[in-house]
Amino acid sequence: MPGKYTLVKHFWISCAHRVPGAGKCDRLHGHNYKITFCVEGTQLDEQQMLIDFRQVKHAIEKKYDHNLLNEFPEFDPAQGGHAPTTEKVAEVFFLTIEELCEQKSNRPIVKWVEVEETNEAFARYERV
């Protein structure tokens, strides 16, 4: 009977953003976001991994860490994006990881991504 592998990883990035029309969050401020993701699959790659979680971490860190999220097209309504709410940040990071998974020969699947904005609040994005 074939098995299934599940990989869960978390890491932190620091970003600034503002959410227009959201009270005090309309002002520029920053967070140390805790990013947690889950990838599943039935096949491992040549390195006996579902996906190298360092690759995932570096892809997100390289683009977003220590940056103003509102400056990226995906978070700029004027450029066709959406305001960087925690929910939209989780969705964008999900899509980033999904793209990495699709490039792999073993085709793992990203199940969900959680973005913890504070110790009291996080958002999860997953496909339904």
Side-chain angles (χ1 to χ4, degrees), residues 2-125:
K4 177 174 76 170
Y5 301 95
T6 301
L7 170 69
V8 177
K9 166 76 175 156
H10 65 260
F11 60 94
W12 287 263
I13 62 172
S14 298
C15 302
H17 74 148
R18 57 180 295 271
V19 182
K24 67 180 184 177
C25 292
D26 194 346
R27 296 190 302 259
L28 182 63
H29 63 284
H31 297 282
N32 292 317
Y33 289 105
K34 180 181 178 185
I35 313 302
T36 306
F37 67 90
C38 176
V39 173
E40 291 182 344
T42 58
Q43 300 289 323
L44 300 179
D45 65 12
E46 311 77 37
Q47 297 174 295
Q48 301 306 300
M49 300 178 184
L50 278 175
I51 191 167
D52 186 339
F53 55 73
R54 294 170 299 177
Q55 180 186 21
V56 174
K57 179 183 176 192
H58 292 150
I60 292 173
E61 271 185 340
K62 184 177 179 181
K63 184 170 183 180
Y64 298 106
D65 192 37
H66 284 80
N67 277 301
L68 175 59
L69 295 178
N70 300 75
E71 292 181 345
F72 292 95
E74 55 269 37
F75 297 120
D76 181 358
Q79 297 184 59
H82 299 277
T85 62
T86 309
E87 295 87 345
K88 292 309 285 187
V89 172
E91 180 182 359
V92 167
F93 291 176
F94 179 99
L95 296 172
T96 300
I97 298 168
E98 185 175 62
E99 187 175 312
L100 292 171
C101 288
E102 289 172 352
Q103 295 171 11
K104 295 188 56 63
S105 62
N106 61 322
R107 304 293 286 210
I109 296 170
V110 58
K111 297 301 287 183
W112 51 262
V113 172
E114 289 179 356
V115 175
E116 187 175 313
E117 189 174 271
T118 69
N119 290 336
E120 301 157 346
F122 72 90
R124 176 185 279 203
Y125 183 85

